[in-house]
Amino acid sequence: AVINSDDYYGRTAFEEIYRQLTTEQDGATYQYAMVAYDLYKTLTDNGHVARGICTADDQNHLVGIHERTRIENHGGQAEYTEDDGATWTGLPQGTIVSMNLWGFTPDYFDYSEREFRKFLDKDLNTPKAEFFIPLCVDALINSGEATVKVLDTDSRWFGVTYAADRPGVVAKFKELHDNGTYPDRLF
């Protein structure tokens, strides 16, 4: 399982990825998995976010993922721009996104290492450059080398993208502690 270190994914999300990784095996293609979240539940009011916008087929397999690096909440409507805000495109309710909770088989790491080396060759001296896992996954899907099962969860996702997000995240963790989800001391 691969996650971002600055995100909270929720207990049932980890249970879903664990179940998938312990019951599925590679066949003719690599069998990966991703826990999907509702875009509208992952936005911040404090600035823009990057999200992998996902398309799944009727069997819950990922057919495409498109990284949108500037999505904002405009009065309850999620919109993205690709031209520094000159134009905005709305994203509908029910849009699913990758928050980088992935389940991979070991072969993925050979592939991603090769892609990461290319990224470093190109962007080593670009301070804000970011290596996006969804771009690797999308390439593997499009080449036919991998399939990705899209897993649903009722877990709440939250994260700190901006300093102004911190108080809300602290309050959410306090709520999880107060309702008994987490004890006083985890370890």
Side-chain angles (χ1 to χ4, degrees):
V2 175
I3 63 170
N4 287 349
S5 62
D6 60 346
D7 291 330
Y8 173 82
Y9 294 98
R11 181 183 183 121
T12 60
F14 283 104
E15 291 170 348
E16 285 296 316
I17 205 73
Y18 172 81
R19 182 189 51 72
Q20 183 72 19
L21 288 172
T22 58
T23 59
E24 294 295 321
Q25 295 181 356
D26 285 339
T29 60
Y30 303 130
Q31 303 295 309
Y32 302 150
M34 178 201 79
V35 176
Y37 289 83
D38 182 310
L39 167 65
Y40 280 76
K41 295 179 181 176
T42 71
L43 300 175
T44 178
D45 291 327
N46 299 310
H48 69 274
V49 296
R51 300 287 183 258
I53 305 297
C54 299
T55 306
D57 65 17
D58 58 356
Q59 293 154 357
N60 285 336
H61 286 105
L62 190 63
V63 294
I65 185 165
H66 192 95
E67 194 69 33
R68 300 287 182 196
T69 58
R70 186 168 173 195
I71 301 172
E72 294 182 13
N73 182 1
H74 293 155
Q77 172 66 48
E79 298 179 320
Y80 71 90
T81 184
E82 294 180 330
D83 56 13
D84 290 325
T87 59
W88 292 89
T89 303
L91 293 161
Q93 293 281 343
T95 297
I96 59 170
V97 296
S98 163
M99 298 306 297
N100 283 328
L101 175 45
W102 296 97
F104 295 121
T105 53
D107 51 83
Y108 172 79
F109 299 101
D110 293 332
Y111 177 81
S112 66
E113 181 178 349
R114 287 190 309 272
E115 293 304 306
F116 189 65
R117 288 180 191 278
K118 292 177 192 175
F119 167 79
L120 290 177
D121 288 343
K122 180 180 169 232
D123 291 312
L124 181 63
N125 295 313
T126 307
K128 294 226 175 209
E130 190 172 345
F131 181 71
F132 291 105
I133 294 172
L135 295 178
C136 289
V137 172
D138 194 53
L140 287 166
I141 291 169
N142 289 325
S143 71
E145 295 175 75
T147 59
V148 178
K149 181 76 170 177
V150 177
L151 307 174
D152 292 324
T153 183
D154 59 0
S155 286
R156 292 171 51 189
W157 172 93
F158 48 88
V160 177
T161 303
Y162 300 96
D165 294 331
R166 187 178 186 277
V169 169
V170 169
K172 289 175 185 172
F173 275 120
K174 181 177 181 340
E175 178 185 324
L176 290 170
H177 172 264
D178 291 348
N179 72 21
T181 300
Y182 293 111
D184 285 337
R185 295 182 55 88
L186 290 176
F187 304 101

